[in-house]
């Protein structure tokens, strides 16, 4: 995150330095700064003069404004960092509390719907990129930051560097996905779109990677073209990856590793939407012999 020293107050600069010291991501830093800025606007004076009651009133204000649980929790986290770390006043945040965020089951596409989606992708680059999102279960940011050297066709794995949580991992590379990537590779070399050792999915300027916004736009274009009405997003392909593996009896702990989940409970929720596995379960009534009523 870049800030002009001419336009940055000493207090804001100290918070920026605190975030940089802890190597918070630029996106996280921007979110924390936004939270403090919003609170300052509500307060009407310098944020370091606030007390616990001010923060309590602010949280109530956000709830009354209809802010979602996720955005509210993110704002609270940013303010807690500011008061507890930068100002060293943890007692001020005692009246703020994170709210419960309902966890909804993801909407899952069928195999036939995923096939239609990939076939409707606009060209070999987007077909390959969406194929990686589904076929390897990668997040959008992980897909666009792959380089050509991350594809290991000998070991049939994809190296994912610094994924969520700043962790490296290996993702699966199936023969079908490798073929999609080779089709894109040949097309890109003919049109000189790839740089040696560069991004696997470059943007308009091959020096830069494809943006997640561009990939998201390509997903929704393909979804409309494939006439898929389900409320799904680009991230849904990661959910579909895990669910389809479960439906084909892959071990849940293997899926946990492939997704990069630290907790098994985060992976286990896909068992609730694996319709094929649910259909294969023999219900308890099947073990009974019940005579129909006369």
């Amino acid at each position: 995150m870049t800030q002009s020293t001419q336009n940055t107050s000493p207090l804001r600069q100290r918070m920026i330095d605190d975030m940089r010291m802890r190597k918070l991501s630029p996106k996280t830093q921007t979110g924390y700064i936004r939270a403090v800025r919003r609170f300052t606007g509500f307060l009407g004076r310098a944020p370091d003069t606030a007390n616990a009651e001010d923060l309590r009133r602010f949280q109530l204000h956000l709830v009354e404004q209809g802010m979602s649980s996720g955005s509210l929790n993110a704002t609270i986290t940013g303010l807690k960092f500011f008061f507890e770390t930068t100002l060293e006043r943890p007692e001020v945040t005692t009246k703020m509390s994170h709210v419960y965020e309902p966890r909804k089951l993801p909407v899952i596409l069928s195999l036939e719907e995923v096939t239609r989606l990939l076939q409707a992708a606009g060209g070999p680059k987007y077909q390959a990129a969406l194929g990686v999102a589904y076929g390897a279960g990668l997040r959008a940011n992980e897909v666009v930051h792959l380089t050509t050297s991350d594809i290991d066709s000998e070991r049939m794995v994809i190296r994912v560097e610094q994924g969520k949580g700043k962790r490296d991992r290996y993702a699966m590379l199936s023969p079908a996905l490798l073929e999609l990537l080779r089709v894109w590779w040949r097309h890109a070399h003919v049109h000189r779109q790839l740089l040696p050792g560069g991004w696997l999915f470059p943007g308009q300027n091959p020096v830069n990677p494809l943006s997640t916004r561009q990939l998201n736009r390509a997903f929704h274009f393909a979804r409309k073209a494939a006439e898929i009405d389900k409320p799904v997003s680009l991230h849904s392909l990661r959910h579909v990856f895990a669910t389809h593996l479960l439906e084909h009896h892959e071990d849940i702990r293997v899926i946990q590793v492939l997704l990069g989940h630290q907790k098994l409970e985060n992976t286990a929720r896909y068992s609730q939407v694996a319709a094929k596995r649910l259909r294969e379960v023999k219900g308890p009534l099947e073990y009974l012999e019940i005579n129909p009523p006369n």
Side-chain angles (χ1 to χ4, degrees):
M1 184 170 75
T2 59
Q3 297 286 345
S4 171
T5 55
Q6 293 181 343
N7 300 325
T8 304
S9 68
L11 182 58
R12 179 167 172 166
Q13 187 60 52
R14 182 175 180 82
M15 182 181 180
I16 292 170
D17 292 342
D18 286 337
M19 293 188 291
R20 291 176 59 200
M21 284 171 58
R22 289 157 180 79
K23 292 189 174 182
L24 301 186
S25 71
K27 185 177 180 181
T28 298
Q29 292 186 42
T30 300
Y32 284 10
I33 289 291
R34 186 186 302 116
V36 176
R37 187 191 307 124
R38 185 165 189 170
F39 173 64
T40 303
F42 168 82
L43 189 64
R45 62 180 193 271
D48 57 338
T49 65
N51 56 38
E53 187 60 27
D54 291 325
L55 286 170
R56 180 183 180 277
R57 289 191 303 109
F58 180 57
Q59 180 168 348
L60 181 60
H61 167 74
L62 296 180
V63 171
E64 291 174 342
Q65 291 290 312
M67 177 177 280
S68 69
S69 299
S71 297
L72 180 59
N73 286 335
T75 300
I76 291 172
T77 300
L79 290 173
K80 280 182 175 290
F81 181 91
F82 174 68
F83 283 98
E84 295 175 4
T85 302
T86 300
L87 296 183
E88 297 183 348
R89 295 177 59 200
E91 73 283 355
V92 180
T93 64
T94 55
K95 293 187 178 181
M96 289 194 96
S97 58
H98 288 88
V99 299
Y100 173 73
E101 190 171 359
R103 193 164 196 178
K104 298 181 179 180
L105 292 177
V107 176
I108 300 300
L109 299 176
S110 66
L111 288 171
E112 189 269 338
E113 286 171 324
V114 175
T115 301
R116 281 164 37 208
L117 178 83
L118 294 180
Q119 289 177 340
K125 177 167 76 171
Y126 290 118
Q127 187 177 66
L130 294 177
V132 170
Y134 167 69
L138 268 58
R139 302 174 179 89
N141 194 56
E142 294 170 344
V143 173
V144 299
H145 284 99
L146 289 175
T147 66
T148 55
S149 58
D150 289 329
I151 308 302
D152 189 339
S153 58
E154 290 187 8
R155 298 177 60 212
M156 294 301 286
V157 294
I158 300 173
R159 178 178 172 82
V160 181
E161 289 194 6
Q162 298 296 285
K164 188 174 181 179
K166 300 295 183 182
R167 295 185 298 270
D168 294 350
R169 75 177 191 280
Y170 284 104
M172 63 182 294
L173 176 61
S174 66
L177 178 55
L178 180 59
E179 182 54 34
L180 279 181
L181 291 172
R182 282 175 170 165
V183 169
W184 158 237
W185 176 274
R186 291 191 290 266
H187 175 89
H189 272 274
V190 169
H191 295 85
R192 298 181 179 180
Q193 294 175 311
L194 290 180
L195 298 177
W199 303 111
L200 181 60
F201 302 114
Q204 290 185 339
N205 183 341
V207 173
N208 302 317
L210 184 73
S211 69
T212 55
R213 178 175 295 184
Q214 288 172 306
L215 185 57
N216 186 64
R217 196 158 43 227
F219 170 84
H220 286 289
F221 172 86
R223 181 182 63 80
K224 283 187 177 181
E227 298 182 345
I228 296 172
D229 297 326
K230 289 180 178 178
V232 290
S233 65
L234 175 58
H235 194 73
S236 298
L237 293 180
R238 178 172 162 86
H239 298 318
V240 178
F241 162 82
T243 304
H244 286 180
L245 286 181
L246 267 176
E247 291 183 336
H248 287 83
H249 303 280
E250 188 54 71
D251 186 271
I252 194 169
R253 293 193 179 275
V254 173
I255 299 173
Q256 178 189 1
V257 173
L258 293 174
L259 290 173
H261 284 165
Q262 285 190 306
K263 298 180 180 179
L264 183 60
E265 63 187 62
N266 292 333
T267 313
R269 67 183 178 134
Y270 294 113
S271 61
Q272 300 178 57
V273 290
K276 185 177 178 182
R277 292 288 290 273
L278 294 176
R279 290 195 300 268
E280 292 172 354
V281 176
K282 191 173 182 179
L285 276 175
E286 304 302 316
Y287 298 98
L288 306 180
E289 293 184 6
I290 302 176
N291 295 322
N294 292 327

